[in-house]
Amino acid sequence: MLFSREIGIDLGTSNTIVADRKGHIIIREPSVVAVDVKSKRVLATGNEAKSMIGRTPGSIVAVRPITAGVIADFDMTADMLHDFMYRSSKRSMFTKTKVVISVPSSVTEVERRAVEDAVRSAGAQDVELIEAPMAAALGAGLPVYEATGSMIVDIGGGTCDIAVLSLGGIAASKSIKVGGNAFDEAIVNYVKRKHDLLIGENTAEDIKIKIGSAREYDGEAAMEVRGRNLTDGLPGSIELTSSDVRVILEDCVSSIIIAIKETLEVTLPELAADIIDRGIYLTGGASELRGLREAIEEEIGIPVIMPENPADCVARGTSLKLRRANNGAK
């Protein structure tokens, strides 16, 4: 008996999410690979590899092979995808594997081919690419194939993809390299510049999640941040407040709002009217920053809707694309 499998993949800078054709999330792991420098052998991927970041000996390197949504290291990306694809299935052998995988809307043809080649190297025979904002809109339940305007703002780890969609196509779009990683980097740089304390990206992410926000919120707090003092090289600690982190993230939040405004400025009037009626949909893992939805709504003057589980929308959208392809729809 011949077997086949179909999976959708949200290939993200921070995380890779794999969904089956029914839309169930079967893999959700960091886009990280740990490699032995001497033997070039992949030691771990995903959660296990991420736990090694900043803690590995000289012979082991933990890296992110995806940068700003595109492949920075082809071989490591292929190895990571192969591992995720293998672990996503209960069967060990297949005659055919079909994959729908997301790419940022701003990728070049060369970058698109690199993603397709990496998925094929990982073991897929049939590969289809879908732009991340289109996948996010599908996953959020928007009527992207109808003659009405829908606006999606998908904020991932490496990029913020903004698009106005209608009749199955993208009518206006913009992509900026601002996302969850930029939030983390801003925190790292601030602590280093202001307090002469060096912290790692995992610590910065922890700060963002625990006390980060785009607006004031009830229950604001402070937390102790530990790292290495750059003055004497010894371990040190400081205290950061919610207010401190909000100021740190101001520029990133402002960049996202400006990009949304610029996209709306080039949107056809009829589609803009639809967006006013339907609202702007906010998806992606980094969209869950406290107060971000409210900050965008206040600045743009249009309702902003966040669907359930916004981080999963792109992966769910790739799954829906698989089902449409099977039904003969384009």
Side-chain angles (χ1 to χ4, degrees):
M1 182 176 179
L2 299 179
F3 293 111
S4 65
R5 64 172 170 177
E6 298 175 330
I7 55 175
I9 301 176
D10 173 10
L11 182 63
T13 303
S14 295
N15 296 289
T16 295
I17 304 175
V18 181
D20 64 18
R21 66 182 306 274
K22 294 181 180 179
H24 301 137
I25 304 301
I26 46 181
I27 293 282
R28 185 203 310 278
E29 299 217 10
S31 302
V32 182
V33 179
V35 181
D36 186 305
V37 176
K38 296 176 182 176
S39 66
K40 305 295 183 184
R41 186 168 62 92
V42 173
L43 302 176
T45 62
N47 288 319
E48 187 180 352
K50 185 179 180 181
S51 69
M52 298 179 181
I53 289 180
R55 295 187 174 95
T56 59
S59 61
I60 300 174
V61 179
V63 297
R64 294 187 182 274
I66 309 295
T67 301
V70 298
I71 292 175
D73 189 301
F74 181 88
D75 291 335
M76 287 191 192
T77 301
D79 286 338
M80 180 182 74
L81 286 171
H82 180 271
D83 187 40
F84 289 163
M85 287 164 61
Y86 179 79
R87 286 196 277 139
S88 70
S89 175
K90 295 177 182 177
R91 300 193 185 105
S92 59
M93 294 182 65
F94 298 86
T95 57
K96 186 176 181 181
T97 300
K98 179 174 182 178
V99 172
V100 172
I101 188 166
S102 65
V103 293
S105 58
S106 60
V107 294
T108 65
E109 279 303 312
V110 172
E111 290 165 343
R112 290 176 71 92
R113 281 197 299 272
V115 172
E116 183 175 346
D117 290 346
V119 180
R120 291 188 186 279
S121 293
Q125 288 77 42
D126 189 356
V127 182
E128 182 178 352
L129 274 55
I130 182 172
E131 293 182 337
M134 176 63 77
L138 281 170
L142 294 176
V144 297
Y145 296 104
E146 297 178 11
T148 184
S150 299
M151 188 171 196
I152 197 87
V153 179
D154 182 57
I155 312 173
T159 59
C160 171
D161 278 314
I162 304 160
V164 176
L165 308 153
S166 179
L167 291 171
I170 295 178
S173 68
K174 190 173 184 67
S175 182
I176 58 172
K177 293 179 180 179
V178 176
N181 289 359
F183 296 165
D184 298 342
E185 188 177 333
I187 294 170
V188 170
N189 291 337
Y190 173 87
V191 172
K192 181 179 179 181
R193 184 181 66 252
K194 186 83 171 179
H195 299 283
D196 285 328
L197 192 72
L198 188 63
I199 62 172
E201 63 176 74
N202 288 347
T203 299
E205 183 180 27
D206 194 40
I207 294 167
K208 175 185 66 182
I209 292 169
K210 288 182 177 176
I211 61 171
S213 69
R215 294 182 60 181
E216 288 187 33
Y217 65 95
D218 292 336
E220 292 198 351
M223 67 179 287
E224 183 185 22
V225 178
R226 298 172 181 175
R228 177 164 58 84
N229 192 297
L230 293 172
T231 304
D232 56 20
L234 299 175
S237 66
I238 60 164
E239 183 178 84
L240 280 183
T241 66
S242 299
S243 177
D244 292 330
V245 181
R246 187 161 51 254
V247 171
I248 294 168
L249 300 180
E250 266 182 4
D251 286 346
C252 292
V253 172
S254 178
S255 295
I256 292 169
I257 291 171
I258 290 170
I260 295 171
K261 288 180 177 179
E262 289 175 348
T263 306
L264 285 168
E265 286 169 2
V266 297
T267 298
L268 294 171
E270 290 82 1
L271 297 180
D274 292 336
I275 293 164
I276 291 171
D277 289 338
R278 303 185 61 85
I280 297 169
Y281 280 72
L282 191 60
T283 63
S287 70
E288 297 181 87
L289 178 72
R290 286 182 196 83
L292 182 58
R293 183 187 69 79
E294 292 83 0
I296 294 172
E297 188 171 273
E298 187 176 289
E299 285 290 327
I300 304 295
I302 297 174
V304 177
I305 299 103
M306 184 177 289
E308 187 178 359
N309 301 319
D312 295 344
C313 284
V314 171
R316 289 202 303 265
T318 61
S319 175
L320 283 166
K321 182 69 172 175
L322 278 170
R323 297 205 290 278
R324 282 185 61 85
N326 288 340
N327 293 334
K330 296 294 183 182

